[in-house]
Amino acid sequence: MAQNSTAFDVAIIGSGIAGSILGAILARNGLNVVIFEAGSHPKFAIGESMILETSETLRAMAEFFDVPELAYFSSENYFSYIGTSHGVKRHFSYLHHTPNQPHQRERTLQAVIPKQPHGHELHLYRQDSDYYLMTVAVAYGATVLQNTPVRDIVLTAGGVQVITADDRQFAADYVVDAGGFRSILAEKFGWRDKNLRTHSRAIFTHMVNVPCFHDVTASRQTYGLPFRLSEGTLHHIFEGGWLWVIPFNNHRQATNPLCSVGLLLDPRLHPQRDDLSAEEEFFTFIERFPGVQAQFAGAKSVRSWTRTGRIQYSSRHIVGDRFCLLGHAAGFIDPLYSKGLYISMMSVALLAHLLLEAHPSGDYSAGRFRPLEETTLAFINTNDRLIANSYKSFANYKLWSVYSVLWLLGAYTELVRLSSIHARAANRRDYFELARGLKLAGGGFAGFDVLADKIDTIIESTNPADEAEVDRAVAEIKRLFGAIDWLPVPFREVLAGKNHLPANKLRLRLFRREHGFMGNGAYRAHFFGEHSMLDVTRIFVREKIKYAAPVLKLKRRFSANSYQQ
């Protein structure tokens, strides 16, 4: 479509993290893009906890779409690029609580995030990260219209008309609805689907004066953990819900005193207290858990509390002729494992690829974009079952202690697959061909899918209140894990009662020919193809050098000097 002030190749509704990244990619690759934003940046957003899968996807996107800025939020080593308002994430930690009892230290799990080869993960201060990514889209040529709500979208065989609240009209070949739960197109076509397994509602805000949990209970050394609980994402879990603690002030360079705090509750067990404000309900609820209450004794909110009804929804369809739903417009489950950004980033990556492939021919039919629908819904459905069964396992620590290993294994195999296809792909088309079959956890490996279905089925058929039934379920789940030869040794140690994955994951046993890191048989073929251990080592070293903090600082200094000249 010819470039002018009201005619575009692609129109994007929403300039959140998904819409802005998509706009930056498309504009960088030559498309004429407009992004409509009902509000203005900077703006509050949740979804602050990064995971390895999300970061690896961002690094692949940065390379294959030639938008290096996308990698900036994948590692702590980029602080000099993005600023120090973000926190560091060195682990995922889970403390299981029983009402009216001090926390039992043995009911702890710390999943350490490896520092090598890329550096630790981040806690994103979203008003800064999203604002920055919006400016990246503008820098590459996208038109961003802030304070411009969209009133309607009209679809025709020949194109799209976007009508704003002030009755301006914009034409496009394709429209992406990244407008979140209140998606115009999801409502227009009646696609909303709330028939999901997970049930949770939320109460959340940003706070100050939230101490490390160790400062109000026992020390890190007493807990026997590699890192303090404040050095990562802390989850307090209990029957019917959980509470997140995500600090932005947890490293030496930190300049942001805030801490993100949110309480997720199953409304079937913990219905909303309409007689209390959101803040009063939060503090009244945590009174039943002495350790949690102590952590928030002196905490104060710095913004209004948000309280929601049930937050789960999906869509019966994602794509149509000349349009699609993206990110939270397509669906949302629960932030328990921080999978939401991974779902969004993989969907953005695939959509950008499909749009760039479709642009030369002008074929924007629904059929051409079917892979986006299949992938997005597969990710949402996997997340739904994983989180629903996690909530169920919270009711009995013995169930949680074994079900948590399925989450760990699913995330680990997904990361291995993502890293492998990134290394093996010669170009963007190769990458997305190899990525087919991913569904959020397990890396698309058939052996994992079979195992996960068996374990999920056991959890779904077990009554957490029946101890004999629970003991049988736990024994069977441990037997299933024990029967596979590709379960990493650290996960076996967690099953045996260890409370953390190792901080240093490099061990000589990883190099064993048949049962080391690369495994054997179908597992090795799926995840590593023709790569040898030497190939994998070379890739690791290359990545370590490429993303090392000193190397990145030199690149930034060189870029600054070139700009000044």
Side-chain angles (χ1 to χ4, degrees):
M1 182 169 288
Q3 183 170 350
N4 60 58
S5 60
T6 60
F8 297 88
D9 297 316
V10 177
I12 300 170
I13 315 302
S15 68
I17 194 167
S20 290
I21 288 179
L22 178 64
I25 291 171
L26 297 179
R28 176 69 179 89
N29 286 271
L31 271 62
N32 188 18
V33 179
V34 61
I35 305 174
F36 298 91
E37 170 56 51
S40 63
H41 288 277
K43 59 180 184 175
F44 174 76
I46 59 169
E48 297 122 328
S49 173
M50 291 290 283
I51 59 175
L52 290 162
E53 302 96 294
T54 309
S55 293
E56 172 53 36
T57 302
L58 285 170
R59 286 188 289 270
M61 293 166 74
E63 178 180 332
F64 290 122
F65 293 112
D66 194 22
V67 183
E69 294 89 349
L70 300 187
Y72 292 179
F73 295 97
S74 71
S75 167
E76 62 180 333
N77 294 341
Y78 280 104
F79 274 140
S80 64
Y81 290 67
I82 60 175
T84 51
S85 62
H86 311 281
V88 167
K89 177 173 176 175
R90 298 187 169 97
H91 59 76
F92 262 112
S93 289
Y94 293 82
L95 306 184
H96 186 275
H97 295 267
T98 301
N100 305 313
Q101 294 183 20
H103 180 248
Q104 300 174 53
R105 292 193 294 274
E106 63 273 15
R107 296 189 172 191
T108 300
L109 173 62
Q110 185 171 97
V112 174
I113 293 170
K115 183 177 178 62
Q116 305 299 341
H118 301 108
H120 288 301
E121 299 293 309
L122 295 175
H123 289 159
L124 299 185
Y125 186 47
R126 288 287 300 275
Q127 74 172 45
D128 287 1
S129 62
D130 293 16
Y131 193 4
Y132 176 82
L133 290 165
M134 184 271 288
T135 68
V136 171
V138 173
Y140 281 121
T143 298
V144 177
L145 303 176
Q146 299 190 75
N147 298 307
T148 308
V150 172
R151 178 169 59 82
D152 196 11
I153 300 170
V154 179
L155 302 160
T156 68
V160 177
Q161 290 289 328
V162 177
I163 304 170
T164 62
D166 57 2
D167 288 327
R168 285 183 290 167
Q169 296 189 15
F170 297 80
D173 290 329
Y174 195 91
V175 62
V176 177
D177 189 338
F181 172 71
R182 294 179 179 84
S183 158
I184 293 173
L185 292 176
E187 294 297 326
K188 181 185 284 283
F189 293 105
W191 282 358
R192 275 290 171 251
D193 178 11
K194 296 187 179 181
N195 186 27
L196 297 161
R197 300 169 186 260
T198 307
H199 288 257
S200 63
R201 62 185 182 92
I203 305 172
F204 55 88
T205 191
H206 281 167
M207 307 185 83
V208 292
N209 301 335
V210 180
C212 178
F213 190 73
H214 293 305
D215 294 339
V216 298
T217 55
S219 69
R220 175 187 67 81
Q221 292 80 4
T222 301
Y223 267 81
L225 296 172
F227 293 104
R228 283 170 63 84
L229 290 167
S230 57
E231 293 183 87
T233 307
L234 172 59
H235 306 72
H236 294 293
I237 60 177
F238 41 81
E239 183 175 9
W242 64 282
L243 188 155
W244 81 66
V245 184
I246 303 177
F248 303 114
N249 63 342
N250 62 351
H251 57 99
R252 291 180 181 178
Q253 296 174 271
T255 54
N256 184 350
L258 299 183
C259 180
S260 178
V261 176
L263 177 63
L264 279 294
L265 298 172
D266 186 334
R268 299 169 300 182
L269 295 177
H270 306 294
Q272 180 172 312
R273 290 284 304 274
D274 292 329
D275 58 322
L276 302 175
S277 69
E279 181 176 18
E280 289 169 339
E281 184 179 12
F282 175 88
F283 281 103
T284 298
F285 185 87
I286 67 173
E287 285 177 359
R288 66 191 71 186
F289 304 111
V292 180
Q293 184 182 28
Q295 186 173 19
F296 290 95
K300 298 179 180 179
S301 63
V302 299
R303 56 171 290 111
S304 298
W305 287 79
T306 299
R307 178 165 58 183
T308 74
R310 186 188 177 198
I311 59 177
Q312 288 71 44
Y313 61 92
S314 183
S315 300
R316 281 178 279 278
H317 296 286
I318 301 298
V319 303
D321 292 337
R322 296 189 177 274
F323 74 93
C324 72
L325 310 182
L326 181 68
H328 292 170
F332 184 79
I333 301 302
D334 183 288
L336 176 61
Y337 296 118
S338 302
K339 302 288 190 183
L341 281 178
Y342 174 43
I343 296 172
S344 292
M345 292 307 100
M346 184 55 73
S347 297
V348 168
L350 180 54
L351 174 58
H353 171 66
L354 293 172
L355 282 168
L356 292 173
E357 293 284 290
H359 178 65
S361 67
D363 178 7
Y364 295 105
S365 63
R368 184 153 194 165
F369 291 81
R370 196 67 62 196
L372 176 67
E373 178 163 300
E374 293 169 354
T375 297
T376 302
L377 292 181
F379 272 57
I380 290 172
N381 291 336
T382 299
N383 203 28
D384 184 31
R385 193 176 192 189
L386 176 66
I387 292 175
N389 285 333
S390 295
Y391 267 76
K392 186 171 183 181
S393 75
F394 294 165
N396 190 305
Y397 178 73
K398 288 184 287 187
L399 281 179
W400 162 246
S401 68
V402 292
Y403 192 71
S404 62
V405 178
L406 183 65
W407 156 62
L408 288 169
L409 184 60
Y412 168 79
T413 46
E414 189 81 358
L415 176 65
V416 172
R417 180 64 175 171
L418 287 169
S419 301
S420 174
I421 65 176
H422 186 180
R424 292 159 63 185
N427 51 50
R428 194 179 76 228
R429 290 188 180 91
D430 282 353
Y431 180 84
F432 288 103
E433 182 62 30
L434 290 167
R436 291 179 63 183
L438 292 178
K439 53 174 70 91
L440 185 102
F445 181 50
F448 175 85
D449 294 341
V450 171
L451 175 71
D453 183 62
K454 289 179 179 178
I455 292 174
D456 279 319
T457 300
I458 291 170
I459 295 291
E460 288 157 2
S461 62
T462 299
N463 178 5
D466 187 325
E467 293 297 332
E469 205 172 305
V470 167
D471 289 341
R472 288 192 294 271
V474 169
E476 178 59 14
I477 291 171
K478 287 186 174 181
R479 187 195 68 78
L480 289 169
F481 279 126
I484 59 173
D485 60 4
W486 44 272
L487 182 69
V489 171
F491 297 173
R492 296 185 188 278
E493 293 173 345
V494 170
L495 279 172
K498 190 173 182 178
N499 71 355
H500 65 273
L501 295 179
N504 180 8
K505 294 182 171 60
L506 186 62
R507 299 286 188 275
L508 289 177
R509 64 191 177 211
L510 296 177
F511 295 87
R512 292 176 183 169
R513 189 170 186 84
E514 289 298 319
H515 299 287
F517 168 65
M518 298 182 70
N520 58 78
Y523 178 89
R524 180 168 187 154
H526 178 81
F527 287 102
F528 299 99
E530 299 301 317
H531 279 171
S532 66
M533 192 66 198
L534 180 59
D535 294 329
V536 172
T537 302
R538 286 171 176 163
I539 293 166
F540 180 92
V541 172
R542 184 186 68 198
E543 292 288 288
K544 179 175 171 57
I545 294 171
K546 182 178 179 180
Y547 291 97
V551 173
L552 295 177
K553 287 180 181 178
L554 281 174
K555 286 182 179 179
R556 181 166 176 78
R557 188 176 303 153
F558 178 79
S559 297
N561 289 339
S562 298
Y563 177 78
Q564 290 170 1
Q565 294 171 4

